[in-house]
Amino acid sequence: MPEAPTDPKLMAETRLPLAGLRVLDLTLARAGPTCVRHLADWGADIIRVEPPGQGDGLGGARDGFDQVNLHRNKRGLSIDLKNPAGLAAFLKVAATADILVENMRMQVKHRLKIAYDDLKDLNPRLIYASISGFGQTGPYSKRGGVDQIAQGMGGLMTITGEPDRGPMRVGIPINDLTAGNLLAMGIMMKLYDRERTGRGGYVHTSLLEAQVFMLDFQASRFLMDGEVAGQAGNDHPVNIPMGVFPTKDKPINIAASSAKLWTNFCKAAGHEEWLEVEEWKTNGGRSKDRKRINQVIAEVTKQQSSEYWIDKLEEAGIPCGPVNNIREVFEDPQVQHLEMAMPMQHRTRGDIKVVAQPVNIEGVDTGFYRDMPNLGEHNDEILAEAGLTPADIAELKAKGALGGA
């Protein structure tokens, strides 16, 4: 394992929950790096393994907003796994690792001879973690998958957007992010199991599995009652009133669907006569008359500002909130209180901010400890930690097995 750090920033890593764990990061694009980012932020020693040349091929500049946010808190090893000498050196590093995370196509990792079956005997304690498009086995297992493909195949695009407007994607890569989050959770469970058994194992998920899981009540609605949900726009699929309503300045969300909330809402809106409308006295009745209810509410809400309604509805105990753009999100006082914009120092961009870790452990601060590595920035120190001598490393360089400076 690496020696204890002396840099004050790095010393803080030793107090984090995952300090002492070594992770090989062979991930590409977004789903895999999302998983690894959790491990990195909580103190694991992340070794980002990239091929010589341009790196992993993730879109955007190496110092761009996306890569810097995804690949913080890592060290960099650039090594050619297609080169026999490079593969041999990589296997020595893999023998020292606790966790390996990858999201290559299934056939690629087998061709490179770095699949789980290739490494499990080399390092029995290794937790090998994979994300694929559609699963490690089955008729689609060899297909490449990206987020939007999974959104479509997993049903999300048919329940997103307004009725009769055609399929609509979600505005973030929801399957990449969810699969990465789920894999990080799976790794944590396997780490706990390893404490009892002394052995690692294989943990995997896929974009399609993540999407089907995230259908949640819309999936159980079909599985148990046979209902195939459609698009409901900004309205809740089954509860009413719950959706977006206009105000003088900007839209707001209102959630007043229970009997008590509906009563409180009608009073706060100054229209207690709505409580006497026979077909609006039950959630089922309100749901059937959704269009008319939304129209009469909108006529009232658009007469005052968003701030007026949020204050008034909050006072009445009715969940509500503004519809913010991204700038307004980070200007919001609660978001600022939660410190979701994390300051960091970047070697070329100077003082910047990235998206903070959303998990909170009382008494532990993840902070920021390491800039995103340059290609192969830590080749020599990582290989030396795996037992290679300076002569061995020089030979790898002579054979063209290493990339970077």
Side-chain angles (χ1 to χ4, degrees), residues 34-346:
T34 296
C35 167
V36 175
R37 183 171 54 190
H38 285 293
L39 310 180
D41 283 352
W42 291 107
D45 174 25
I46 311 295
I47 298 174
R48 187 182 182 205
V49 181
E50 301 178 86
Q54 298 302 310
D56 70 6
L58 183 68
R62 194 172 186 88
D63 62 353
F65 63 86
D66 202 10
Q67 291 220 47
V68 171
N69 187 54
L70 281 173
H71 295 295
R72 63 200 189 214
N73 290 343
K74 301 180 180 181
R75 296 191 290 164
L77 172 65
S78 180
I79 194 163
D80 186 358
L81 299 178
K82 297 177 183 178
N83 184 311
L87 176 60
F90 169 80
L91 293 178
K92 290 184 178 180
V93 177
T96 72
D98 294 284
I99 301 161
L100 182 150
V101 186
E102 62 85 23
N103 60 338
M104 307 175 192
R105 285 200 187 198
M106 184 184 67
Q107 55 269 42
V108 173
K109 61 191 171 193
H110 284 285
R111 185 169 64 244
L112 292 173
K113 300 187 185 306
I114 57 169
Y116 173 63
D117 287 343
D118 298 308
L119 302 183
K120 64 181 182 181
D121 293 332
L122 170 73
N123 183 351
R125 287 179 55 82
L126 180 68
I127 295 171
Y128 193 106
S130 299
I131 295 176
S132 61
F134 307 105
Q136 297 297 314
T137 59
Y140 302 163
S141 59
K142 292 185 179 180
R143 291 188 188 181
V146 297
D147 180 86
Q148 188 160 334
I149 303 301
Q151 286 195 34
M153 292 178 67
L156 182 61
M157 294 175 70
T158 65
I159 58 174
T160 303
E162 297 177 346
D164 305 318
R165 295 288 297 272
M168 180 68 65
R169 68 180 290 274
V170 172
I172 58 172
I174 188 70
N175 298 302
D176 284 341
L177 300 174
T178 301
N181 294 337
L182 290 173
L183 190 66
M185 182 173 67
I187 290 170
M188 293 298 101
M189 289 188 286
K190 190 59 188 174
L191 276 169
Y192 181 74
D193 182 64
R194 193 179 73 170
E195 288 298 303
R196 296 182 294 181
T197 66
R199 296 190 62 84
Y202 196 17
V203 181
H204 54 87
T205 189
S206 67
L207 303 187
L208 185 58
E209 287 168 289
Q211 176 54 74
V212 175
F213 172 77
M214 289 294 284
L215 288 177
D216 197 62
F217 77 93
Q218 297 284 39
S220 62
R221 184 179 175 188
F222 167 72
L223 293 172
M224 286 188 262
D225 293 344
E227 294 184 32
V228 178
Q231 292 164 303
N234 288 322
D235 295 322
H236 191 277
V238 294
N239 296 327
I240 178 74
M242 186 180 294
V244 177
F245 295 91
T247 72
K248 270 189 173 181
D249 55 339
K250 63 186 293 186
I252 61 172
N253 276 302
I254 300 173
S257 59
S258 72
K260 180 179 179 180
L261 290 174
W262 170 243
T263 298
N264 291 349
F265 175 76
C266 293
K267 292 178 179 179
H271 287 273
E272 292 189 48
E273 73 274 11
W274 292 346
L275 296 171
E276 303 306 317
V277 180
E278 192 62 34
E279 55 264 47
W280 295 358
K281 289 184 177 181
T282 66
N283 186 69
R286 292 193 295 274
S287 185
K288 289 179 181 179
D289 207 14
R290 179 189 302 272
K291 185 174 181 180
R292 186 158 68 108
I293 288 180
N294 285 348
Q295 286 174 341
V296 298
I297 292 175
E299 286 299 317
V300 173
T301 57
K302 70 182 182 182
Q303 296 173 19
Q304 300 289 345
S305 69
S306 59
E307 184 177 2
Y308 169 88
W309 284 114
I310 290 170
D311 289 345
K312 193 170 188 63
L313 296 177
E314 276 292 324
E315 185 179 355
I318 297 164
C320 59
V323 177
N324 290 330
N325 63 32
I326 304 300
R327 180 184 298 279
E328 291 167 332
V329 170
F330 287 100
E331 291 174 346
D332 185 281
Q334 183 64 26
V335 174
Q336 292 183 352
H337 171 78
L338 295 172
E339 299 181 331
M340 287 304 298
M342 184 173 73
M344 63 172 272
Q345 179 73 25
H346 187 268

